Amino acid sequence: MISLSILDYSPIDEGATAGEALQQTTRLAQSAEELGYKRFWVAEHHQVFSVAGSSPEMLMMHLAGATQNIRIGSGGVMLPHYSSYKVAENFRLMEALHPGRIDLGIGRSRSYRLVNKALNESKGIPVSYEQQIADIQKYFTDDTESEHRFQKLRATPVSETAPEMWVLGTGEGSAKVAAETGAGYVYAHFAKPLKSSAELFRSYENRFQPSKLQDAPKTMVSVFVVVGDTEEEAEELARAFDLWLLFIESETPPPYYPSVETAKQRGFSASELEKVGRNRKRMLVGTAEEVKRQIEKIAEVFQTEEILVIPNVSDAENRLKGIRLLAETFGLNE
């Protein structure tokens, strides 16, 4: 049986504020828990003014307190921006307060060099991404015996359980890092929807080295989903999503997620239509039954049992309705 989880960007709908977007994320997380979703993750975006999710740890703490059982996670923390020790302490603190419910999803952001510079302005020689992940594992497992440049250092608070670790990516490098460090692997289908990429999962599984945190490989595929009551409604929502993707790829994107009405009124140029065609490969669009079939196909191709859906459509009520329709179609609470 396929498990469904959610990754939310906290989109700021046209006419809404960032504060309202974050409250809408809270409602979405609470609804996801009631509907039977396994996890609810939040993203980290900088210099993207149409989404409110810039600090996943802060938002996760709020969401964990506003829910009871659903796993709360990051999708993901952009690790090269930060100290592994501080990330480990943030997530151990959340795990101590909400044991067995915290996921650390890790990414390697390659965009916005100015953001990375601002976040690392006072630091010396950067540590490699692979070493940063190994460092977090050391801190999560209280390992003070193995050889390490900070051998006797422990991350506090110390608790009986540790967060789950997941590496996010779209290529051989990320799959290799996840396998060699004994972490879970999430493939970002929404960023690079190539069927041949399913081979990465087999490579990850074959290379997997058990760790103190995880003894067997675990995988997920993350996808954009656009779900409507009808095909026509789904297409309207997808057109607004098309426009948002064009906006965030432009030099001066507006600070909001465009409404269905705005998308209806605006035409697309020939070059924009080409981009829309490419971007449509990144999303699953249709009624809940149609999207369910597409999800099942992806799960079959990748041979995975968990799909991380991104319901990034216009209007909070449409997001709530979309995850409800999917949950009902999959029978998550049965």
Side-chain angles (χ1 to χ4, degrees):
M1 180 178 175
I2 298 173
S3 295
L4 293 185
S5 296
I6 291 174
L7 170 58
D8 183 53
Y9 286 6
S10 301
I12 302 172
D13 290 318
E14 190 170 352
T17 66
E20 289 169 336
L22 294 170
Q23 291 305 316
Q24 290 160 359
T25 287
T26 306
R27 287 180 60 205
L28 197 68
Q30 292 168 334
S31 181
E33 180 171 60
E34 293 171 2
L35 291 166
Y37 285 84
K38 186 174 181 178
R39 312 171 197 272
F40 190 92
W41 285 12
V42 291
E44 177 182 340
H45 289 101
H46 304 282
Q47 287 290 103
V48 181
F49 299 105
S50 55
V51 298
S54 59
S55 179
E57 302 98 323
M58 294 290 287
L59 186 50
M60 283 174 61
M61 183 67 89
H62 168 71
L63 295 175
T67 53
Q68 299 296 321
N69 301 305
I70 193 169
R71 295 193 68 92
I72 301 295
S74 58
V77 168
M78 297 297 107
L79 193 53
H81 292 331
Y82 309 111
S83 152
S84 293
Y85 185 60
K86 187 58 178 176
V87 171
E89 288 197 321
N90 284 341
F91 277 78
R92 291 200 83 167
L93 180 60
M94 286 189 282
E95 180 70 21
L97 285 168
H98 305 282
R101 294 185 56 207
I102 303 301
D103 296 334
L104 169 58
I106 297 166
R108 173 165 45 185
S109 173
R110 298 183 184 278
S111 59
Y112 294 115
R113 292 182 179 179
L114 188 61
V115 168
N116 184 265
K117 183 177 180 180
L119 289 168
N120 291 273
E121 191 171 21
S122 63
K123 295 180 183 178
I125 299 172
V127 179
S128 73
Y129 183 56
E130 293 80 1
Q131 182 61 58
Q132 283 191 288
I133 293 175
D135 290 347
I136 288 179
Q137 286 192 315
K138 167 201 159 38
Y139 299 133
F140 276 1
T141 58
D142 298 312
D143 181 1
T144 58
E145 302 300 324
S146 301
E147 185 176 336
H148 190 273
R149 65 194 187 284
F150 303 122
Q151 185 181 35
K152 298 302 180 182
L153 187 63
R154 299 176 72 184
T156 56
V158 175
S159 58
E160 294 181 358
T161 59
E164 284 190 11
M165 281 187 66
W166 295 81
V167 174
L168 289 63
T170 59
E172 186 68 30
S174 56
K176 182 174 181 287
V177 169
E180 292 180 350
T181 56
Y185 183 57
V186 185
Y187 182 75
H189 179 279
F190 67 89
K192 193 175 180 181
L194 302 176
K195 290 184 178 179
S196 60
S197 57
E199 298 171 5
L200 290 177
F201 277 25
R202 308 292 79 77
S203 173
Y204 159 75
E205 290 164 351
N206 292 334
R207 288 176 169 173
F208 184 83
Q209 299 293 318
S211 66
K212 291 181 180 179
L213 295 174
Q214 187 175 314
D215 59 6
K218 292 190 293 189
T219 61
M220 274 193 280
V221 178
S222 185
V223 295
F224 283 135
V225 296
V226 179
V227 181
D229 277 319
T230 63
E231 290 183 11
E232 291 75 18
E233 182 185 46
E235 181 56 34
E236 288 181 348
L237 292 170
R239 184 176 175 85
F241 192 19
D242 293 334
L243 184 54
W244 180 72
L245 289 174
L246 290 175
F247 279 170
I248 62 173
E249 293 170 0
S250 66
E251 291 185 2
T252 56
Y256 58 81
Y257 192 111
S259 67
V260 167
E261 286 305 314
T262 293
K264 282 182 179 179
Q265 294 168 10
R266 185 189 185 280
F268 293 144
S269 68
S271 62
E272 286 178 333
L273 285 173
E274 288 183 13
K275 291 181 180 178
V276 167
R278 291 195 298 270
N279 284 334
R280 279 297 179 102
K281 297 176 182 178
R282 302 164 57 189
M283 63 183 88
L284 312 183
V285 180
T287 63
E289 285 290 348
E290 291 167 341
V291 171
K292 179 176 183 284
R293 286 192 290 271
Q294 295 175 72
I295 286 175
E296 288 172 338
K297 181 62 177 178
I298 287 175
E300 179 184 357
V301 169
F302 282 84
Q303 296 177 41
T304 188
E305 295 180 352
E306 187 168 356
I307 302 294
L308 184 66
V309 301
I310 309 173
N312 213 34
V313 298
S314 176
D315 193 272
E317 294 305 318
N318 289 327
R319 294 189 285 277
L320 287 165
K321 182 174 71 172
I323 69 167
R324 175 179 56 79
L325 291 172
L326 263 188
E328 291 171 352
T329 304
F330 273 92
L332 295 187
N333 265 333
E334 293 179 0

